[in-house]
Amino acid sequence: MKMIKMQRWFTRFANPLLGVAALLTATGWLLHHSGSFPEVAGMAYGIATLVAGMPILLKAIGALRARVASIELLVSIAVLGALIIGELEEAAMVTFLFGLGNYLERRTLKHTHRALANLTEMQPTQALLVSEGQTRTVAIDDVEVGDQLLVRIGDQVPVDGQVVTGTAVVNEAAITGEARVVNKTPTDQVYTGTIVENGQMVVEAQKVGEETTFGKIIELVEEAQDNQAPVSRFIDQFARFYTPLVLVLALLTQLVTQDFRLAITILVLACPGALVIGTPVSNVAGIGRGAQSGILIKGGQVIDQLAKVRTILMDKTGTITTGKPTVQSFYQYSQQDWLAVAAQLEKQTNHPLAAAVVKFYEQRTGQPVQNHDIAITTVKGTGVTATWHGHQVKLGSPRILEPSAQKLSNKQTADLKKLRENGQSVILMIVDGALVLAMGLSDQVRPGVASALKQLRQTGVTNQWMVTGDQLNVAQSVAHIVGITQVKAGQLPNEKAQFLKEFQASGQPVLFVGDGINDSPAIAQAAVGIAMGSGTDVAIETSDVVLINPDFKNVVFARQIAQATLRNMMENVGIAVGTVALLMLGVSLGWVNMASGMFFHEVSILVVIFNAMRLLKLKRPAWENFSTKTGGESPSSETI
């Protein structure tokens, strides 16, 4: 307990103590090399060694208690050895340089955490609560779900919620990573941390605190930065064995050469500091760069796999397309108004096709959907079933016809054939075994998908599949627009996951991109699962990468970040190993002593940190130039 208190004290005053050590070391060096007051010089060196060396020694003892032979142990033994043979200058220099290296390391590492720090600082702390026609300022922690909040021009939106009244122009860069503004009107969704640039609105809180999108972003990035890549974990394991090996090497050097100075010099210079710090700092910087652009990569393991994928499987609706289809064709085969019932059932689901049916009803009738409490059963990849006033109702894709082997009239058969020929997604409604409604819906391809897929092919992801629950003709129509030649249509959620397993059986890592509940089994099964930010919570929770800005081009950038991060890790390993090798060569040739070697050792640590920080400035692909060169599609969408 006493040692813990000492460690806390030294940590608290680390910077001032380092300054004292620097002053004492400089004083000792000047007096020693001027030949005046040698006793004072020795005293200055001794106190400097004690001040700068105690934190190192305490860390070494703490690590030994945890049965870990740390870098601090090597330095502590070397410093004690220098003191034993009366090399006070060497001892002071080594402890000061080691402390200086740690200080500079802490300072520079802050840059790699800046993306997360900026996110945290952007969290609003107060809100304007609207109550009984009056507004009052409250702490954000006191806001509850259902509260109504006034958000004015220049304010940050304090919660995830829905606009109740008013209109505003909102900058969503904090969420999407893109500096763009969005017009918000009643019923629109707004997100914590976004900024009102014009207008004002009253927002009803739906998610508060850590449950907001902003809170989830911070949580995911924090967790991801602690998740190491395989190369980083390997180096951590290597360091545990490396330190005892260095101790043995130093002991053998002493026994063979009888040169104690050489033995303790080897202890200092063989420290794997740059090797230990090099890969984690690359991991943190890469994840931080993704966070800056609204790409949440959940750890080093994901980076490793994403950099290696050569096969990509993609959902269609909400992934390749915008996920905002509209009803283009409508056929009714009953005198009763079953559309109202269909809208009531679809209102209870969150599928994009369901939202289109609800919107179609409201536009057709000019009335909102009535919220009747109808118990529904969701059949994944098919639709919903329910009992309505004694009637057995099925609503969903044409697959709902199969179990009952429903016979269709000539007109119904012709209508369905026409919908398929037009490349429209089909929704059917069956009541008591009879087809009563048929609707054809069309979606829009996301801008930039064809260019993104072409760039993925050019960078090695050549095996590209669309895997969708939609009909084959609709899927092929979309695939043709974006340049995909391989399509697997009519797939249920478990079938998507099973199809993915067939690729994995050959040992190849597979990337799956999706957005809905029906995609979550495949996203979870894939080596890397990417969820579009507009998707469901289930897909986002099971994914390895979340695109807060649901732009398909971010799939390419996420992979670019992963590849750059993996390269950066290997570069840092090379720098670290090369530095130790050169120092050992310098020692053997008599060119390097303990103090100068420690200086170059600490410089190598800073080099790997600064090398990793280059990832924070990684540029996005030049999409406009790319589209021009490769014939990619223009930014406009196409209706399918």
Side-chain angles (χ1 to χ4, degrees), residues 17-30 32-33 40-56 75-101 261 264 268 593-596 598-599 602:
L17 289 173
L18 183 63
V20 171
L23 182 62
L24 289 170
T25 302
T27 301
W29 188 87
L30 289 172
H32 175 70
H33 289 277
V40 177
M43 187 181 299
Y45 279 143
I47 298 173
T49 302
L50 180 65
V51 170
M54 278 303 293
I56 302 171
V75 176
S76 298
I77 294 173
V79 170
L80 289 172
L83 292 173
I84 290 171
I85 62 175
E87 292 292 344
L88 298 179
E89 180 180 359
E90 298 280 15
M93 287 289 186
V94 167
T95 53
F96 166 67
L97 287 170
F98 193 83
L100 179 62
R261 176 192 290 274
I264 62 175
V268 171
N593 60 26
M594 191 188 302
S596 61
M598 177 55 74
F599 173 76
E602 297 304 326

Side-chain angles (χ1 to χ4, degrees), residues 421-477:
E421 288 175 348
N422 290 337
Q424 295 179 355
S425 299
V426 178
I427 289 182
L428 304 179
M429 186 174 189
I430 296 175
V431 179
D432 297 330
L435 179 62
V436 297
L437 292 179
M439 288 172 275
L441 297 89
S442 295
D443 202 349
Q444 289 186 320
V445 172
R446 290 185 185 274
V449 172
S451 294
L453 289 174
K454 191 161 189 175
Q455 183 151 354
L456 283 173
R457 287 193 292 273
Q458 291 179 346
T459 57
V461 188
T462 54
N463 195 16
Q464 301 180 346
W465 283 81
M466 178 191 295
V467 185
T468 177
D470 214 336
Q471 301 105 307
L472 180 61
N473 62 312
V474 178
Q476 287 176 331
S477 176

Side-chain angles (χ1 to χ4, degrees), residues 198-506:
N198 197 9
Q200 70 176 32
M201 56 190 174
V202 174
V203 175
E204 181 176 310
Q206 295 176 331
K207 293 181 180 179
V208 298
E210 294 179 354
E211 296 303 313
T212 64
T213 301
F214 204 80
K216 289 291 184 183
I217 291 174
I218 294 173
E219 181 183 350
L220 288 174
V221 175
E222 285 177 333
E223 291 176 355
Q225 291 183 338
D226 291 332
N227 183 288
Q228 296 179 320
V231 63
S232 186
R233 290 198 300 271
F234 168 77
I235 287 171
D236 279 354
Q237 293 296 322
F238 171 77
R240 290 186 179 182
F241 294 102
Y242 180 80
T243 301
L245 283 174
V246 171
L247 289 170
V248 171
L249 175 62
L251 181 60
L252 289 174
T253 301
Q254 167 63 21
L255 292 175
V256 173
T257 67
Q258 297 297 308
D259 189 338
F260 191 64
R261 176 192 290 274
L262 178 61
I264 62 175
T265 300
I266 287 174
L267 284 179
V268 171
L269 303 190
C271 292
L275 189 64
V276 172
I277 192 67
T279 53
V281 75
S282 297
N283 185 56
V284 170
I287 290 168
R289 179 64 187 97
Q292 289 174 348
S293 297
I295 300 170
L296 306 185
I297 303 172
K298 299 182 181 179
Q301 177 72 33
V302 177
I303 286 174
D304 182 76
Q305 291 294 303
L306 183 55
K308 296 175 181 176
V309 293
R310 296 291 181 269
T311 299
I312 180 173
L313 275 58
M314 299 154 281
D315 177 45
K316 178 181 72 68
T317 304
T319 303
I320 294 175
T321 65
T322 61
K324 297 179 180 178
T326 56
V327 176
Q328 302 291 325
S329 306
F330 178 70
Y331 300 102
Q332 187 165 297
Y333 307 110
S334 172
Q335 295 297 320
Q336 186 169 341
D337 182 19
W338 288 106
L339 179 60
V341 180
Q344 290 172 30
L345 297 179
E346 297 285 42
K347 183 78 171 179
Q348 300 182 60
T349 71
N350 59 2
H351 195 280
L353 296 181
V357 173
V358 172
K359 186 174 181 180
F360 175 70
Y361 169 81
E362 292 178 341
Q363 291 177 336
R364 183 183 176 92
T365 64
Q367 299 176 352
V369 175
Q370 299 299 316
N371 290 319
H372 294 294
D373 189 15
I374 305 174
I376 65 169
T377 300
T378 300
V379 183
K380 278 190 177 181
T382 301
V384 298
T385 63
T387 300
W388 185 82
H389 293 294
H391 297 286
Q392 298 301 310
V393 180
K394 295 180 179 180
L395 182 66
S397 72
R399 197 178 285 110
I400 64 173
L401 291 171
E402 296 170 6
S404 58
Q406 173 70 39
K407 289 186 177 181
L408 304 178
S409 67
N410 291 337
K411 182 179 185 323
Q412 290 171 337
T413 301
D415 290 342
L416 292 184
K417 182 180 179 182
K418 184 178 179 180
L419 292 176
R420 292 191 180 100
E421 288 175 348
N422 290 337
Q424 295 179 355
S425 299
V426 178
I427 289 182
L428 304 179
M429 186 174 189
I430 296 175
V431 179
D432 297 330
L435 179 62
V436 297
L437 292 179
M439 288 172 275
L441 297 89
S442 295
D443 202 349
Q444 289 186 320
V445 172
R446 290 185 185 274
V449 172
S451 294
L453 289 174
K454 191 161 189 175
Q455 183 151 354
L456 283 173
R457 287 193 292 273
Q458 291 179 346
T459 57
V461 188
T462 54
N463 195 16
Q464 301 180 346
W465 283 81
M466 178 191 295
V467 185
T468 177
D470 214 336
Q471 301 105 307
L472 180 61
N473 62 312
V474 178
Q476 287 176 331
S477 176
V478 177
H480 176 72
I481 293 171
V482 299
I484 297 176
T485 58
Q486 302 175 108
V487 176
K488 191 78 170 176
Q491 297 293 289
L492 294 171
N494 62 315
E495 292 172 336
K496 289 182 181 181
Q498 186 58 44
F499 183 64
L500 190 150
K501 284 182 182 179
E502 294 174 12
F503 291 99
Q504 291 178 323
S506 63

Side-chain angles (χ1 to χ4, degrees), residues 520-539:
S520 54
I523 287 175
Q525 176 65 37
V528 179
I530 295 183
M532 309 296 277
S534 56
T536 64
D537 290 342
V538 175

